[in-house]
Amino acid sequence: MLRLRTAFPALCLTVLLAACQPDSQNDFIAAASLPQPVTAIRTERAATITPETRYGSRALKNALPGYELEGVQIAVEDRTLWTLAAFHNGEQMLQILKGDDGAVSAVHGVSQRVAGPNGEQIGMTFVESGLRRSECRVGRNLWRGMAVCQARNAQNVKLVFSVPGYEGPFDQIPEPAQLRTATLQRIVWTPEN
């Protein structure tokens, strides 16, 4: 009977894997290692934040039911700043930046549980994203050495990748071999007006 118990889980796993054959090995790796998204950033919105959403605790609490807001300090390309972060079940999901006109100027998705417009998730590699090097530019200042890439079919969404152990040159995008292993760090949405 002991043999059956140990063989049965292996048989079940084999059947499950056969039923879930990925299109490519990278698809399987991404799907298997990243958690299920809780929210998404799309062209028209970041979670439930739209271009009409005002920046402020009350407006953002109304726009993000079930989230807690807290002040955090973040680094954008050219400076550090204090802003509001949205937490879901204790996990920081979004960083919301204020515009000059009192509206939301940008939302940064910073959790693996935030999906991008094409299913991108924080933690996936550049290769898994399906992007090309030509769709990226080199980050500057506080994001130097990072690749800032245009999301496919979403002109107002950028994907920011960090290259592990990158030592420069910092005025150009890392070489293709290094860029392959770059990790998605944030998904940046700016409202289209």
Side-chain angles (χ1 to χ4, degrees), residues 37-49:
V38 170
T39 193
I41 291 177
R42 303 283 182 249
T43 302
E44 66 281 355
R45 62 182 171 72
T48 52
I49 297 172

Side-chain angles (χ1 to χ4, degrees), residues 44-53 60 63-64 94 96 104 107 189:
E44 66 281 355
R45 62 182 171 72
T48 52
I49 297 172
T50 67
E52 293 77 33
T53 304
L60 290 171
L64 295 166
L94 306 168
I96 306 148
V104 171
V107 176
W189 174 84

Side-chain angles (χ1 to χ4, degrees), residues 82-128:
W82 282 94
T83 193
L84 289 173
F87 291 79
H88 184 267
N89 292 334
E91 181 178 353
Q92 186 177 167
M93 307 286 280
L94 306 168
Q95 297 169 343
I96 306 148
L97 285 68
K98 181 180 181 181
D100 293 333
D101 59 357
V104 171
S105 67
V107 176
H108 294 204
V110 295
S111 166
Q112 288 184 334
R113 296 192 177 276
V114 178
N118 303 290
E120 304 93 346
Q121 284 180 261
I122 304 298
M124 77 173 11
T125 65
F126 185 80
V127 168
E128 291 168 337

Side-chain angles (χ1 to χ4, degrees), residues 112-145:
Q112 288 184 334
R113 296 192 177 276
V114 178
N118 303 290
E120 304 93 346
Q121 284 180 261
I122 304 298
M124 77 173 11
T125 65
F126 185 80
V127 168
E128 291 168 337
S129 75
L131 293 171
R132 294 185 306 263
R133 188 172 184 262
S134 62
E135 297 170 302
C136 304
R137 67 171 175 80
V138 66
R140 61 183 187 271
N141 297 329
L142 298 174
W143 289 358
R144 77 181 207 154

